[in-house]
Every structure is written in C-alpha cells, then in structure tokens.
C-alpha cells in the first residue's frame, strides 16, 4: 500500500465513540471487567485509564470545553479499541504477521510529515480521533498491522474485495476469541468486529457486506 494511503488511515482512524468516565461493573458475570476476550480480562480500571488520559489532554488543549462536549461517547470508543486490539493481534498471528518497533517508528515519521509536524499530529489525533499523545503509537501499530495483514492475504484495501478479505479474517479471529462484553457496555458484533451500534470509520472500510462500495474518501 502506498505511504499516502497508509497514513490516510491514521487521520481517519480512531476509536471514535463511547461513554463518559465509567464506574466499576456490577454484572456478576463480569466483576471488575468491561469485557473478556480470549479468556483475557479487560479491566474497567484499564478502560478508565484510557478515558482519563484523553480527558486530561483535552483539558490542556485549546477549545477544551468543545472537545469534551464533542466526545461524550469516549468510553465506548476506548472499549471498542481495547477489544479490537486483541482481535487484530489474533488475526495477524493467524496470518503469520509480526510488527516491529522500527515499522511503527517509520509509520510515525510518515504521519508527522503528512500532518506538518509532531505537534500538529498530536492535535489532529486528539481532536479527530480522541487519542491522547501517549496512545498514538498504539494506534499507529494497528495501522501497520492492518496494512501487513492485507498484504499477507493478498488483499488491496482500496478495493471492496480486499476490504472484505481483511474483514473476513478479523471476523474469524473475533469468533475464535469468543468476545464477551459486560452488558452495561453493550454487545460485540463478530461479523462487524465492533461494539454493536458503534462504527469506527477506519474499521468500516474492511468490514463491509459483500457488494458494498468503498467509503467516501477511502
């Protein structure tokens, strides 16, 4: 995939919807956990930490009140991201794909260049994607993983067929992991690899039903 194409994922990528700061789970099936993925717990405290980091960055940013008002579903977005990280890890593992630190650094350099500098990248990620500065590398790692997964599958993410191939791999991994979300946060859709009722823009590009065209601007 061309560098311009890959970095385009970054600015649109994001983990975009959720709920305000979350309190401990009350479900007996998920005491203290927001979700179980492949038997691993995603603790509510971990989710709260992700949300708090973004809120802290928003409060320090210009237009703080508007940023906070526009991200009322932040917690849901972050839970989606935490689950999707594990699904993507499983899909890339199944495809024999690995990602190293150098690849993430190269992706960051490309993102910084495209954004016009490190500070502008941080601002864009916070405003558009609700990503705190210390969360950027994790998002970039996902972009590298998605790109390499597509390459391993011989899929072109610019084409509907390529998007469907990657989406199928993600769905297969999701089903294998038996994602179980605490009911207070919703349910997980294996076919779309996302929280039900929430659609991440960058993920929608690879989870379309057959026959669907590419996203606008994709």
């Amino acid at each position: 995939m061309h560098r311009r194409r890959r970095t385009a994922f970054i600015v649109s990528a994001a983990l975009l919807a959720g709920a305000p700061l979350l309190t401990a789970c009350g479900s007996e099936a998920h005491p203290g956990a927001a979700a179980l993925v492949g038997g691993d717990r995603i603790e509510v405290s971990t989710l709260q930490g992700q949300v708090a980091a973004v809120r802290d960055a928003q409060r320090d940013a210009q237009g703080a009140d508007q940023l906070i008002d526009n991200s009322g579903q932040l917690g849901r977005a972050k839970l989606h991201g935490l689950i999707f990280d594990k699904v993507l890890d499983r899909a890339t593992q199944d495809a024999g794909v690995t990602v190293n630190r150098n690849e993430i650094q190269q992706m960051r350099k490309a993102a910084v260049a495209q954004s016009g500098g490190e500070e502008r990248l941080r601002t864009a990620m916070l405003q558009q994607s609700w990503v705190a500065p210390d969360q950027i590398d994790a998002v970039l790692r996902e972009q590298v993983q998605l790109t390499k997964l597509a390459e391993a599958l011989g899929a072109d993410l610019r084409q509907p067929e390529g998007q469907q191939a990657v989406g199928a791999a993600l769905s297969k991994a999701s089903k294998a992991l038996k994602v179980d979300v605490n009911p207070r946060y919703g349910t997980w859709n294996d076919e779309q690899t996302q929280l039900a009722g929430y659609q991440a823009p960058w993920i929608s590009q690879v989870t379309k039903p057959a026959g669907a065209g590419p996203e606008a601007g994709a």
Side-chain angles (χ1 to χ4, degrees):
M1 182 177 294
H2 296 299
R3 174 176 294 178
R4 186 173 180 181
R5 171 69 182 173
R6 288 181 305 185
T7 53
F9 270 107
I10 299 166
V11 224
S12 65
L15 320 154
L16 273 179
L21 269 176
L22 305 165
T23 55
C25 296
S27 168
E28 293 181 1
H30 304 76
L36 303 176
V37 185
D40 293 335
R41 294 165 58 90
I42 295 178
E43 302 291 350
V44 173
S45 58
T46 300
L47 178 57
Q48 289 176 328
Q50 290 250 327
V51 173
V54 174
R55 289 296 185 223
D56 287 344
Q58 289 175 328
R59 292 187 189 98
D60 291 338
Q62 186 175 1
D65 290 344
Q66 184 175 2
L67 286 175
I68 293 172
D69 288 345
N70 290 342
S71 55
Q73 297 186 73
L74 175 61
R76 198 148 183 252
K78 289 303 180 185
L79 178 56
H80 166 88
L82 288 167
I83 296 171
F84 185 77
D85 278 349
K86 293 182 179 295
V87 172
L88 182 55
D89 283 347
R90 174 61 180 263
T92 52
Q93 178 183 341
D94 289 347
V97 169
T98 59
V99 172
N100 60 51
R101 182 63 188 166
N102 182 61
E103 290 170 319
I104 299 172
Q105 291 173 336
Q106 290 304 313
M107 178 67 86
R108 182 147 192 158
K109 287 180 182 179
V112 168
Q114 184 185 28
S115 301
E118 180 70 32
E119 190 59 36
R120 288 189 178 184
L121 173 63
R122 293 187 178 197
T123 298
M125 293 295 283
L126 181 63
Q127 292 179 346
Q128 301 172 22
S129 304
W130 308 352
V131 173
D134 63 356
Q135 296 169 354
I136 292 176
D137 278 0
V139 174
L140 299 183
R141 180 176 182 272
E142 287 184 349
Q143 307 318 305
V144 176
Q145 284 181 293
L146 279 170
T147 299
K148 295 186 71 173
L149 176 60
E151 291 172 350
L153 296 173
D156 184 349
L157 286 174
R158 295 168 296 183
Q159 302 298 325
E161 296 82 1
Q163 296 165 9
Q164 291 157 19
V166 174
L170 293 170
S171 178
K172 179 181 177 182
S174 182
K175 291 174 182 177
L177 289 171
K178 301 185 184 303
V179 179
D180 184 15
V181 177
N182 188 300
R184 77 180 301 163
Y185 304 127
T187 58
W188 181 258
N189 185 319
D190 286 321
E191 296 299 329
Q192 298 296 318
T193 56
Q194 60 192 21
L195 280 174
Y198 164 59
Q199 185 168 341
W202 54 292
I203 294 170
S204 69
Q205 296 183 38
V206 296
T207 55
K208 295 175 180 298
E215 292 288 329

